[in-house]
Amino acid sequence: MKKIILFLTLSSFIFLNTSADEYVIISNSSLQHLTKQQIKAIYLKKTTLIDDITLVPINLGYDNILREKFNKEILHMSTEQLKEYWTQQHLMGTRPPISMKSQESIKAFIKNVDGSIGYINRNNIDKNVSILYSWNDTAVYTEPYKYIAVQQEPYKPIAPTKYEYIYEPGNGYKIGSLPIYVGAHFSMDYTHKDGNNEYKINELAFFSYGKFGKIAYMAELGYNNVYVSNSQTFTEDKTLHIERLYVDYAYNDEYNFQLGKYNSPIGFWNLLTVDVLKETTSDPVSTSIIFPQYTTGLDVSYASYKNNNLKLDVMLQHNNDFDSDFNNYKVDKHYALGISYNENEYSVKVNGGYFNDLYYAQVGAKYETDKYEILGEIGHQTSKDTTTTPYAGYVQGSYKLTPQHVATLRAESYKNNLTSTDDTIAIAGYTYRPYHNIALKSEYQLHSKQKENQLLFSLSAIF
Amino acid sequence: MFKIILLLLLFLYLPAQDKYELGSGVQVASLPIYIGGYISVDYRNKHNENRYRIDDLAILSYGNYKKFSYMAELEYRDLYTKTYTNNNSHITRDKKLHIERLYTDYSYNEHYYLRVGKYNSPIGFWNLLPVNVLQATTSDPVVTHIIFPEFTTGINIVYSNIQNSEIKIDVMLQNNKDFDDDYNNYKIDKHYAVGLTYEKDNYAFKINVGHFSQINNTAFKNLNYALISAKYDTNKYQITGELGYQSSQTKTTKPYASYIQGLYRITPKHHVVIRTEAYKDNVINIKDNIAIFGYTYRPLYPLALKAEYQLHSLHKEDNLLFSFSVMF
């Protein structure tokens, strides 16, 4: 029994001694001990003298594992912080410590250069050097970077029942066991333009959709510009608008009929009807002047999903709009055709149509990856007698710095002969999405017409 | 200008011990002498005016030998400026080479060192990084230009004590004219000031007080100032603030000038900045509140592309800035 206890004790002692590497800071000087703060000051060249000894600190290379441990334990700085610090110190006339390739090089340098200090593994130490400070791997995981091991129960998935639905923000709420979902979205924004400030509750909308067999529906009612306040006026619009109201019938895998009021499937931007889904607060001018944003009538679509994705849309309207106040054009006729082609990251769209004695054509293209998106559209509009809008187009690039942070640049240009206006616009925007269904955006627009320059902020969300 | 470029090229060809990295300067042969430089260009759009500018072009040299070290920095400022207003354009050039810094340090021991020459007044935090590429935004907070002299030509005695925290005391003494008084925000022939700095972990605090005398201003010749500063800096974000006050013997010239700035490092290469400033200047009867939104992209740390929008309570001052800067 005693032998067993002795064996276990010795084993645990060996285990304890070999379970964590130990590191030392050494010098050939007469210094015996330094505090961590003093070592940090020496390595950051805040001091080069201690007890009248000129100290020469030595580092390992940035990519050396022991260097990383040293930076964490002693300097409390990351590699990026150190590179930033030494660039600043270069301006101040201070050089970083010399870097050596290996611990053997450090030992050789310390042996030959008075006042030099460096760091190595304890088990690599030679005689005739003084140990100024030591630490081990467990210390790296305690102060100030605490590492806590958590025991967790193995995950047991619960099979969803027929009546069980778990709400996720941005995905709508299911009504009981019915195939009916409800959701909402809102947006508010602030604009600063030509010395004036405008605050607006822009959108507040409720929608419901569902699917039963081959039939699906969408109904969306909303308030637009509910509240607008600037230095001169204050307006409220409490009219509840019909934004979308349609029924879909999926004839088969390829053919679909949509009847009612819907977003005209023209270009890419017009299909993102909600502020929270867009990369900027403002919309490109081309999306509001070339074609009607909404169509009330029939949309017949054909889609093929083989190696690529080809879609044809035929839009037919020969009646007044549902709620013509909620459209950029009041139309009672709209006939249009669209072709979309999508392969991997690329999408291309061509649209042409007729409404209100006006003809239009638009081309759009998109390239989208996990990290960035490039999007562009250009349109042309004409009547029988005159070219109303010779061109209106934009090119936009969005870059996902991280999944939550997106930077956007957009260039727009248009000419409108009806209002005798032309403008070229550069837009720089930034979007922060703490969650996928919430967006905080900022945007600056630089116009060739300088009075139109403006700064915008917005907050939007979808539930 | 061309002579300096040729001299720089010559030094670059001398074999050095250290391998060159951008932002770290070039060693001259095996001597303990280093040469570097920086450049910045910017664009500004402000109330119907577009301005393009080569702002800074500087060369610096420093080195140390035993207890001595030196710094010399020469700079062109506003080297080339082209301004468009309505349909007119206007070009200005300033080809004068300025002495920005020129000093020698002597390290007496681990606690004391002495600096003699022209140096950045060690007041607040912002004034210690006077170079576009090292700053968070293209523009500087107003407080750094109007409260105290940015440069001092004289002696700086420094005491520092590093234990668990760091304490530093600066005493600045100037009783002479500046080296190159065109290159200072105030033309002074006297400056006496004391500064106290305390740093621990991520925190830093500073208090500065001083007195300076202007050469070319009889109405407000002698001015006193005080400034307090604080900073909190982590790997991910930094918060900095400074608040200053200035008065003459008869009048409060600047009752307040301040800023608070937050910098967030989205990634090591992408930073966003928000800064608010407020100041009141009784000498020129101006008061302004400013909100600044900035973004910096550093493909490498010593290279910065920045964008910034300033929103002023004085509406005509709203402006948009872009800049590119790099340090060698």
Side-chain angles (χ1 to χ4, degrees):
Chain A
M1 181 64 177
K2 283 184 184 175
K3 284 181 184 174
I4 292 169
I5 293 170
L6 181 64
F7 173 75
L8 288 171
T9 307
L10 281 172
S11 301
S12 62
F13 179 77
I14 291 165
F15 175 76
L16 282 170
N17 268 302
T18 57
S19 64
D21 281 336
E22 197 174 350
Y23 313 101
V24 290
I25 296 174
I26 57 171
S27 174
N28 70 357
S29 68
S30 57
L31 293 172
Q32 292 303 312
H33 175 74
L34 292 176
T35 65
K36 192 195 286 194
Q37 204 66 24
Q38 286 175 307
I39 296 166
K40 180 177 176 178
I42 292 164
Y43 270 84
L44 295 181
K45 296 282 190 88
K46 291 189 175 186
T47 185
T48 54
L49 290 169
I50 295 204
D51 293 346
D52 215 31
I53 299 169
T54 302
L55 295 163
V56 183
I58 314 294
N59 260 326
L60 288 165
Y62 271 116
D63 53 359
N64 189 293
I65 293 174
L66 179 52
R67 169 80 183 262
E68 282 181 29
K69 291 178 193 287
F70 174 81
N71 290 345
K72 224 180 208 182
E73 166 67 12
I74 304 294
L75 305 183
H76 290 228
M77 290 171 81
S78 65
T79 301
E80 289 79 24
Q81 281 180 301
L82 277 166
K83 286 185 177 176
E84 183 176 327
Y85 177 81
W86 287 116
T87 304
Q88 292 170 1
Q89 291 309 303
H90 166 53
L91 182 74
M92 297 299 131
T94 303
R95 302 295 304 172
I98 305 166
S99 290
M100 295 283 157
K101 285 186 182 172
S102 66
Q103 294 185 35
E104 294 308 314
S105 304
I106 286 184
K107 282 164 49 177
F109 192 96
I110 287 174
K111 197 173 169 184
N112 292 306
V113 177
D114 290 338
S116 53
I117 68 172
Y119 45 88
I120 57 174
N121 279 68
R122 181 184 271 276
N123 55 16
N124 201 11
I125 201 169
D126 288 340
K127 293 179 186 175
N128 301 322
V129 292
S130 53
I131 297 175
L132 305 177
Y133 184 86
S134 67
W135 82 97
N136 56 38
D137 270 338
T138 54
V140 173
Y141 288 124
T142 54
E143 281 295 329
Y145 306 98
K146 297 206 173 176
Y147 175 74
I148 302 167
V150 176
Q151 292 293 328
Q152 289 182 323
E153 289 294 321
Y155 173 66
K156 290 178 187 171
I158 301 168
T161 65
K162 202 173 172 184
Y163 301 97
E164 192 169 336
Y165 174 77
I166 299 168
Y167 171 72
E168 282 190 25
N171 288 356
Y173 188 79
K174 190 166 185 271
I175 304 291
S177 60
L178 301 170
I180 295 174
Y181 297 81
V182 295
H185 62 90
F186 82 90
S187 74
M188 51 180 68
D189 58 59
Y190 161 80
T191 305
H192 177 81
K193 177 175 157 183
D194 197 30
N196 293 315
N197 299 308
E198 183 182 88
Y199 303 87
K200 199 160 57 170
I201 297 178
N202 191 8
E203 290 175 353
L204 179 59
F206 305 92
F207 56 90
S208 172
Y209 60 93
K211 188 168 181 182
F212 186 76
K214 289 190 172 193
I215 297 178
Y217 82 92
M218 160 64 77
E220 184 176 357
L221 305 174
Y223 297 99
N224 204 34
N225 291 334
V226 181
Y227 171 94
V228 180
S229 170
N230 57 41
S231 55
Q232 288 143 1
T233 61
F234 163 77
T235 59
E236 284 179 333
D237 182 356
K238 293 182 184 173
T239 309
L240 190 60
H241 292 283
I242 300 172
E243 291 192 26
R244 290 180 292 170
L245 185 63
Y246 62 78
V247 174
D248 278 341
Y249 175 68
Y251 180 72
N252 59 23
D253 286 347
E254 291 165 327
Y255 288 93
N256 187 74
F257 295 88
Q258 192 167 78
L259 184 65
K261 181 177 182 181
Y262 51 87
N263 287 100
S264 308
I266 299 168
F268 298 105
W269 196 279
N270 200 49
L271 299 176
L272 300 170
T273 56
V274 173
D275 190 53
V276 68
L277 302 178
K278 304 176 198 173
E279 291 310 341
T280 57
T281 304
S282 65
D283 299 318
V285 172
S286 61
T287 63
S288 58
I289 66 174
I290 296 290
F291 54 85
Q293 290 171 330
Y294 294 90
T295 301
T296 301
L298 180 67
D299 177 44
V300 181
S301 65
Y302 165 82
S304 166
Y305 301 95
K306 290 181 180 165
N307 294 326
N308 44 54
N309 185 347
L310 179 72
K311 190 167 178 245
L312 294 169
D313 280 285
V314 177
M315 286 159 269
L316 303 165
Q317 175 176 351
H318 196 89
N319 44 263
N320 287 339
D321 273 339
F322 285 169
D323 193 355
S324 58
D325 286 337
F326 199 84
N327 203 348
N328 56 326
Y329 286 100
K330 286 189 200 299
V331 298
D332 59 0
K333 289 184 185 57
H334 182 203
Y335 311 113
L337 183 68
I339 299 173
S340 311
Y341 179 79
N342 167 253
E343 181 166 353
N344 299 326
E345 292 97 359
Y346 294 92
S347 301
V348 178
K349 251 182 145 167
V350 177
N351 293 93
Y354 166 84
F355 71 97
N356 288 6
D357 295 327
L358 295 167
Y359 299 89
Y360 68 86
Q362 173 154 301
V363 174
K366 182 163 77 167
Y367 180 80
E368 189 176 7
T369 71
D370 284 345
K371 211 65 180 151
Y372 62 91
E373 179 190 87
I374 301 170
L375 178 60
E377 297 180 15
I378 183 158
H380 169 84
Q381 190 196 76
T382 180
S383 69
K384 282 181 194 170
D385 311 310
T386 185
T387 301
T388 46
T389 306
Y391 62 86
Y394 73 92
V395 175
Q396 174 173 289
S398 296
Y399 182 73
K400 282 187 189 133
L401 303 163
T402 71
Q404 293 172 320
H405 300 269
V406 181
T408 300
L409 286 173
R410 186 167 77 229
E412 299 186 39
S413 188
Y414 74 92
K415 186 173 181 181
N416 187 335
N417 289 341
L418 289 179
T419 55
S420 296
T421 307
D422 66 87
D423 197 3
T424 302
I425 313 166
I427 292 166
Y430 167 76
T431 302
Y432 171 53
R433 296 178 194 278
Y435 302 101
H436 68 275
N437 66 313
I438 297 175
L440 289 112
K441 301 181 203 175
S442 61
E443 175 183 330
Y444 184 73
Q445 298 185 3
L446 193 62
H447 289 249
S448 56
K449 293 180 188 311
Q450 282 167 336
K451 282 198 172 176
E452 296 298 315
N453 291 351
Q454 52 189 282
L455 174 71
L456 295 107
F457 291 102
S458 69
L459 165 68
S460 51
I462 188 166
F463 301 101
Chain B
M1 164 86 157
F2 291 112
K3 288 177 192 170
I4 291 169
I5 292 171
L6 280 171
L7 205 59
L8 182 65
L9 287 170
L10 175 66
F11 282 132
L12 288 174
Y13 277 100
L14 292 170
Q17 282 182 340
D18 288 348
K19 188 180 158 190
Y20 175 71
E21 277 186 34
L22 188 72
S24 302
V26 175
Q27 190 183 8
V28 177
S30 58
L31 300 170
I33 295 175
Y34 295 84
I35 291 182
Y38 54 87
I39 184 170
S40 75
V41 300
D42 61 47
Y43 161 80
R44 186 183 74 184
N45 174 270
K46 176 177 160 182
H47 192 62
N48 299 326
E49 179 192 276
N50 291 303
R51 186 191 72 186
Y52 302 85
R53 187 172 66 160
I54 300 175
D55 181 23
D56 286 335
L57 176 60
I59 180 165
L60 54 99
S61 172
Y62 57 90
N64 66 286
Y65 181 73
K66 295 191 177 175
K67 291 193 174 191
F68 288 92
S69 60
Y70 81 93
M71 161 65 75
E73 184 178 353
L74 305 174
E75 182 179 291
Y76 291 101
R77 178 182 260 189
D78 295 338
L79 179 62
Y80 174 92
T81 306
K82 187 163 187 177
T83 308
Y84 292 89
T85 308
N86 297 322
N87 291 322
N88 300 317
S89 67
H90 176 64
I91 293 175
T92 58
R93 291 186 180 92
D94 182 356
K95 292 185 186 173
K96 185 174 175 189
L97 190 59
H98 293 281
I99 299 172
E100 184 165 347
R101 290 181 292 170
L102 184 64
Y103 61 77
T104 286
D105 283 350
Y106 173 70
S107 297
Y108 179 69
N109 61 22
E110 70 195 76
H111 294 296
Y112 291 93
Y113 80 83
L114 180 71
R115 175 169 288 177
V116 179
K118 181 177 180 178
Y119 51 89
N120 287 100
S121 307
I123 299 169
F125 296 111
W126 195 280
N127 200 49
L128 299 177
L129 296 173
V131 174
N132 183 312
V133 67
L134 301 179
Q135 294 164 345
T137 56
T138 304
S139 67
D140 301 317
V142 173
V143 61
T144 62
H145 295 307
I146 67 172
I147 296 292
F148 52 86
E150 290 171 17
F151 294 91
T152 302
T153 302
I155 291 174
N156 180 216
I157 301 168
V158 181
Y159 167 80
S160 67
N161 189 0
I162 299 168
Q163 299 295 336
N164 290 324
S165 57
E166 183 181 340
I167 289 177
K168 190 168 169 232
I169 300 173
D170 283 280
V171 176
M172 286 160 269
L173 303 167
Q174 173 176 350
N175 200 345
N176 44 264
K177 284 187 182 169
D178 277 339
F179 286 167
D180 191 356
D181 57 10
D182 283 338
Y183 200 88
N184 203 349
N185 56 328
Y186 287 99
K187 286 190 202 296
I188 59 175
D189 59 358
K190 288 184 182 57
H191 183 202
Y192 311 112
V194 175
L196 174 67
T197 307
Y198 175 78
E199 281 188 42
K200 184 170 174 145
D201 299 328
N202 302 112
Y203 294 92
F205 299 100
K206 254 182 136 164
I207 298 175
N208 294 94
V209 294
H211 165 88
F212 62 96
S213 177
Q214 298 193 79
I215 294 173
N216 57 351
N217 190 325
T218 51
F220 301 103
K221 184 172 173 57
N222 295 307
L223 294 166
N224 303 306
Y225 66 84
L227 187 93
I228 56 171
S229 322
K231 184 163 72 169
Y232 181 79
D233 198 358
T234 72
N235 193 22
K236 211 64 181 154
Y237 63 91
Q238 181 191 80
I239 302 169
T240 316
E242 299 184 24
L243 170 65
Y245 166 87
Q246 189 197 76
S247 74
S248 69
Q249 284 163 326
T250 53
K251 182 182 173 133
T252 300
T253 45
K254 279 106 188 181
Y256 62 87
S258 67
Y259 75 91
I260 295 177
Q261 175 174 283
L263 179 148
Y264 181 72
R265 299 179 180 99
I266 305 170
T267 71
K269 293 185 185 180
H270 300 272
H271 305 169
V272 289
V273 181
I274 295 179
R275 184 168 78 230
T276 66
E277 300 186 39
Y279 75 93
K280 187 174 180 185
D281 189 332
N282 288 341
V283 175
I284 52 177
N285 285 326
I286 283 186
K287 183 174 143 179
D288 198 6
N289 295 316
I290 313 169
I292 290 165
F293 307 93
Y295 167 78
T296 302
Y297 172 54
R298 295 181 186 275
L300 299 165
Y301 184 77
L303 201 156
L305 290 112
K306 300 182 196 170
E308 175 184 331
Y309 185 73
Q310 298 184 2
L311 199 59
H312 290 249
S313 58
L314 297 171
H315 292 304
K316 285 194 175 179
E317 297 298 314
D318 292 350
N319 61 97
L320 173 72
L321 291 133
F322 292 103
S323 70
F324 167 77
S325 50
V326 63
M327 173 162 242
F328 302 99

